Structure formats: structure tokens, C-alpha cells
Amino acid sequence: KVDTADYVQVMSTISEPFYVQAEFDVPDNWRPTGTYYNIPLDEFYSHIIKAASDGYTVCIGGDVSEPGYNGFEDGAIIPDYDIPGDYINQDSREFRIYNGTTTDDHGIHLLAHINRGGDDWFLIKDSSRSSRHGKFHGYLFYRGDYIKLKMLTYTVHRDVLKDLMPRFREAEETANE
């Protein structure tokens, strides 16, 4: 018995002001409503880690049709020939959204997080056919750079974002003045 009111949608885009709720206007958006909480990429990413660390899973959506996504190897990374991980930021992400090289084409289930060898890794449950090519049949490991650059939105329990809610209230009050 899941209470859907306990879950919120999150996005990170400069096409809308940060700390407001808005629609994520991209093709294939499974839930085209104005209820996405828009936060900067660093907070978007850190709250995914927070969710996994606090025992929450995350329904995450983004692009899985990339050269760095390899079901035979059970993983997804951003290859250095695309962009080195240290250069992934809000602008590099936005550039790919606007030019169509990052799209919203699949929803997946993020189950867990670990930092190994200085990299964040996420355990992903994926229903796509390509996720069944490797030895873990339906499970993949996404490196943090792939999450930052290619995952566009997520749905998570509202408690994960409770530290951000005052900023959303402040933005709403300022907008209403």
C-alpha cells in the first residue's frame, strides 16, 4: 500500500528557475505535469546518493541509448571521448538536453549506491532487453558520471528532499509578492 502523495518528482534544468515546481518539457516525458521540483545538478545528484544511503530506492528516468551503456558488460559510464567526468556540470548536461543527444527514453529503478575506487556506482534494476545480455540479467551498474549527465528526472520519497523544502517555500513566497 504505497501512498503516492509521499512521492515527489525531481528534475534539474536551467530552462526553469531553481527551487520552483514546473513541468519538464521534453519528448517522451511519462508524467507531463507542473509538479517537478527543479534543483541544481549538484543537489539533484547528492539527493540520489542520500536516498540510496538512507535506504530509499529511486525511480529514475533518462537516456539509455548511449555508447557508454553496455548491457553485455553490465554497466553504464560516460566514455572520456564524450566528456571527461570532471567536466560534467549543469551546462554540459543542458547542452545535451537541448541538442537532443540526451533524451528521456527509459525509466529504471535505482536500488543502491557504493563508492568504490573514488567513483560512485549505483545498482540499477532495468527491464530493458539489453540489460539481460550480461551475467546479472536485469541488473546493471551505473557510474556516477552517467547519472549526472544522462539521467534527467527521478521520483523519490518526499522525506529525501525535506531539507530543500524551505527553499521551495521561500521561492514561492517571493514569486507571490
Side-chain angles (χ1 to χ4, degrees), residues 11-14 16-22 36-40 168:
M11 65 181 180
S12 182
T13 178
I14 59 174
E16 298 289 344
F18 291 126
Y19 306 108
V20 301
Q21 284 186 281
Y36 286 82
Y37 287 95
N38 189 31
I39 58 179
F168 281 94

Side-chain angles (χ1 to χ4, degrees), residues 44-66:
F44 178 90
Y45 184 71
S46 69
H47 281 80
I48 292 172
I49 293 173
K50 178 181 178 356
S53 299
D54 290 350
Y56 294 99
T57 63
V58 182
C59 177
I60 196 162
D63 198 331
V64 296
S65 55
E66 296 295 315

